[in-house]
């Protein structure tokens, strides 16, 4: 019997010969050599993943050939400046680990009206220090409700309300010149019901008939629904939506977001073509939307199945061949055991850190660092060539995704604790500083998530005296705990909840709109005025950003827990011995004491990079309410 390696090489020879016989490839033959070199290198990985999904099919190698023809076509069209970037990034694959990285995210229309408006904001992004800009979905989508653009009708057309494809290309180029990587969503689990593929499928076009999951009646949907989690129960019960002709279609999210059928290899090829087209615009990171849901199997939750990982690794291997500088960021807002499974250099090099995000809010509410300290110590480490994207909040709700087993170690009951957190953040808890709103409140399961801007959830909105300090505290952890910190634009000037969505029929059902306010020009105008709330938040954030960028101990993702001896003070060190920073963060409105006993092994003297003051560590430390210290010693001081 032939060894696996030998079979792969045989398949490779066969596919390459067939590709070279294609007239389209012969016509662009000058682009072949660099493509072929990378194909040689990554074909084994690609074939291994693809054969796990589709290897049983008689037409498997034809499929691989047509997929690679699509990839070559994209490569041949890839602009020279991106090919130059590819080479540079291949030489420096962990470039994104730099402490100079800073992410920002915004809606094009809400932040600047249009793509041209975003381009005009580049000087502002530079003022902030951004090196990564995630623009929320901007491709063509249905009028009215499109789930904020997460229902894509065409990846080849920009939403005309925002601009044109030429605007997007120009913006990508301008951002790159300014040292800012463009980040766009790759929404590959579903398309809108108005996508050509969906229309073709509905009409029975043989090319698209198997692109989605349509059922003649409720028989299979009922069987699947027994084990599915409801994602938007306000929208529709279960995972399926009825069609006017009596059929049912798989819709994990809204009824107009049709899940694609990745068991069909033609879907993989079609989406791969869209992915490479998005890369060729000049996109450097893809935010891999809803990764958990892409593979379905009867009798399971249809979340985080092994095949979902295989699909992503296959996309990743293809990117290494045809758009090598493209990297993936996983959006898996699931149990922490499952979140990490998406993160590796072969799959998603980056991932949101939803556990840290949720536990930051948990800690603010409880004033107890227990769960967050535990998460930093036990769930923070990642492979060295990957990184967390650490954030405080996003355009989505905050869900309490911690592990019940972790919580049980502190005698905390996960279910009851989530109920408490929900009450706390929607201001149904006596003494809460938060002004949030519930999302997908599900009386059947008792499940609920939270919405609200950072300023509204921390008390800034109603002038709580500690509001600003709470915001800076949360962002200080995102900025100092490794990986890429991500700022939701608007937070830096303290934008508050916007209830305008309630009078918009397309948004009123979806409370996430409350924390997606438009660019608040008044607040931005005040950002350099230290006498204002906006100015205090802005100055505090910019100072920490500048300190971080200048401090090599903040590069990479390694972190060591440091037990502070206070229930309310989070502790960890960054860097390596001889060049370390000790972070201490007080999550309570009371003065906290870090006793001398826990500091006995620390160097004598340190300097707080935030306040600028020297501290005698061995005497113990006193932290003011919500104070954060970044204590540097040795070479870092
Ligand atoms: C992701 C997005 C969310 C959207 C969903 C469906 O979770 O963040 O906003 O509703 O995917 O695309
Ligand atoms: C679910 C999904 C997550 C998405 C969210 C939107 O929690 O797991 O991907 O962001 O819904 O509300």
């Amino acid at each position: 019997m032939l060894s696996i390696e030998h079979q792969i090489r045989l398949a490779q020879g066969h596919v390459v010969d067939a590709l070279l016989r294609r007239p389209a490839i012969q016509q662009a033959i000058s682009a072949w050599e660099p493509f072929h070199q990378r194909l040689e290198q990554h074909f084994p990985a690609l074939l291994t993943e693809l054969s796990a999904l589709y290897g049983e099919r008689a037409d498997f190698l034809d499929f691989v050939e047509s997929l690679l023809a699509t990839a070559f076509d994209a490569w041949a069209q890839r602009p020279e400046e991106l090919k130059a970037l590819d080479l540079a990034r291949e030489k420096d694959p962990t470039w994104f680990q730099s402490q100079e990285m800073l992410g920002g995210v915004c809606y094009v229309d809400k932040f600047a009206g249009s793509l041209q408006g975003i381009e005009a904001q580049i000087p502002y992004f530079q003022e902030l220090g951004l090196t990564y800009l995630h623009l929320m979905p901007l491709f063509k989508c249905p009028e009215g409700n499109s789930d904020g653009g997460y229902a894509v009708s065409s990846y080849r057309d920009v939403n005309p309300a925002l601009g044109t494809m030429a605007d997007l290309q120009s913006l990508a180029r301008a951002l790159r010149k300014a040292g800012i990587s463009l980040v766009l969503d790759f929404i590959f689990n579903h398309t809108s019901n108005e996508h050509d593929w969906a229309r073709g499928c509905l009409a029975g076009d043989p090319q698209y008939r198997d692109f989605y999951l349509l059922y003649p009646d409720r028989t299979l949907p009922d069987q699947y629904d027994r084990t599915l989690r409801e994602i938007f129960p306000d929208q529709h019960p279960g995972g399926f939506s009825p069609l006017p002709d009596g059929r049912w279609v798989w819709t994990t999210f809204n009824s107009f977001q049709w899940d694609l059928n990745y068991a069909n290899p033609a879907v993989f090829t079609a989406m791969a073509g869209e992915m490479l087209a998005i890369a060729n615009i000049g996109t450097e990171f893809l935010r891999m939307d809803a990764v958990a849901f892409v593979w379905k199997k009867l009798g399971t939750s249809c979340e985080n199945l092994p095949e979902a990982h295989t699909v992503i690794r296959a996309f990743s291997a293809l990117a290494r061949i045809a758009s090598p500088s493209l990297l993936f960021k996983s959006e898996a807002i699931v149990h922490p055991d499952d979140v990490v499974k998406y993160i590796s250099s072969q799959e998603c090099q980056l991932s949101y850190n939803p556990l840290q995000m949720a536990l930051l809010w948990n800690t603010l509410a409880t004033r107890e660092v227990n769960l967050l300290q535990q998460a930093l110590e036990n769930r923070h480490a990642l492979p060295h060539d990957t990184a967390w994207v650490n954030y405080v909040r996003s355009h989505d709700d905050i869900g309490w995704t911690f592990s019940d087993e972790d919580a049980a170690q502190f005698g905390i009951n996960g279910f009851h604790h989530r109920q408490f957190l929900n009450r706390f953040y929607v201001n149904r808890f006596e003494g809460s500083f938060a002004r949030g709103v519930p999302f997908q409140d599900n009386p059947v399961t008792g499940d609920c998530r939270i919405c609200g801007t950072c300023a509204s959830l921390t008390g800034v909105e109603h002038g709580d005296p500690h509001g600003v300090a709470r915001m800076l505290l949360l962002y200080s952890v995102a900025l100092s705990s490794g990986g890429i910190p991500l700022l939701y634009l608007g937070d830096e000037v303290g934008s508050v909840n916007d209830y305008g969505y309630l009078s918009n029929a397309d948004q009123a059902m979806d409370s996430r709109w409350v924390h997606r306010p438009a660019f608040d020009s008044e607040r931005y105008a005040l950002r350099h005025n230290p006498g204002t709330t906006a100015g205090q938040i802005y100055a505090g954030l910019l100072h920490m950003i500048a300190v971080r960028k200048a401090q090599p101990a903040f590069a990479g993702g390694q972190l060591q827990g440091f037990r502070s001896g206070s229930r309310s003070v989070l502790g960890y060190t960054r860097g390596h011995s001889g060049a370390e920073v000790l972070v201490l963060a007080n999550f309570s409105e009371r003065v906290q004491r870090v006793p001398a006993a826990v500091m006995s092994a620390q160097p004598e003297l340190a300097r707080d990079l935030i306040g600028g003051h020297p501290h005698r560590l061995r005497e113990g430390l006193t932290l003011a309410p919500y104070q954060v210290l970044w204590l540097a010693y040795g070479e870092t001081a």
Side-chain angles (χ1 to χ4, degrees), residues 196-208:
D196 281 348
W197 304 344
R199 293 204 158 124
C201 175
L202 193 64
D205 178 339
Q207 193 184 344
Y208 298 114

Side-chain angles (χ1 to χ4, degrees), residues 12 40 79 225 301 462:
Q12 184 176 341
E40 288 265 308
D225 264 344
S301 67
H462 61 277

Side-chain angles (χ1 to χ4, degrees), residues 35 67 74 84 98 157 178 181 269 279 302 333 335-336 359 418 469 533 595 606 637:
F35 180 84
L67 176 67
S98 162
D157 299 292
S181 299
T269 305
C302 299
I333 314 301
H335 189 283
L359 291 180
R418 287 186 186 88
T533 302

